[in-house]
Amino acid sequence: MIVAQPREYLHQILLDILDGYECYFQPPDNVQISYPCIVYDLSNDDVDYANNKRYRSMKRYEITIMDYDPDSDIPDKVGELEYCRFVRHYSQDNLHHFIYEIYF
């Protein structure tokens, strides 16, 4: 039995939210991105220790939703994920960026 890695599982969840749009994990500079989309990357690793041993570890990913529509429903769907929180929003070249962090 093949078990998907947590990041691959997160990728599939994000693809399901996008419903046909693109999702990119740490895309290189030469990738042509189409919008709306989600771009995410690993940003940290949260570790708890107990009895001088690594007890629990969760990776933190930064999720950026890019959409021309400022009222897009994609950010709301991402925000409903467990261990996810909204960080900030900004607009650049008429493209809205919604930044979230998720522990997965």
Side-chain angles (χ1 to χ4, degrees):
M1 180 173 145
I2 299 174
V3 178
Q5 296 295 320
R7 193 205 55 83
E8 293 167 347
Y9 183 57
L10 174 62
H11 190 85
Q12 187 58 52
I13 290 170
L14 296 175
L15 282 174
D16 291 345
I17 288 173
L18 286 169
D19 193 30
Y21 294 109
E22 296 293 324
C23 182
Y24 307 94
F25 176 67
Q26 298 176 336
D29 292 336
N30 62 350
V31 171
Q32 182 67 34
I33 295 177
S34 59
Y35 306 105
C37 71
I38 290 178
V39 175
Y40 69 104
D41 60 346
L42 182 64
S43 65
N44 202 350
D45 189 19
D46 185 36
V47 179
D48 289 330
Y49 294 92
N51 199 22
N52 292 327
K53 294 182 183 172
R54 190 178 187 125
Y55 174 71
R56 183 191 62 84
S57 173
M58 292 182 82
K59 296 190 183 309
R60 183 176 71 197
Y61 294 91
E62 183 176 272
I63 299 172
T64 303
I65 301 153
M66 295 180 233
D67 198 340
Y68 289 111
D69 180 6
D71 298 318
S72 173
D73 64 340
I74 298 170
D76 294 334
K77 292 177 182 178
V78 170
E80 291 175 0
L81 296 174
E82 191 173 10
Y83 302 117
C84 186
R85 73 178 186 95
F86 178 74
V87 177
R88 68 184 174 281
H89 167 268
Y90 67 93
S91 181
Q92 182 176 0
D93 298 327
N94 212 22
L95 185 64
H96 296 271
H97 297 70
F98 304 87
I99 313 297
Y100 286 83
E101 289 180 340
I102 188 168
Y103 286 91
F104 206 82

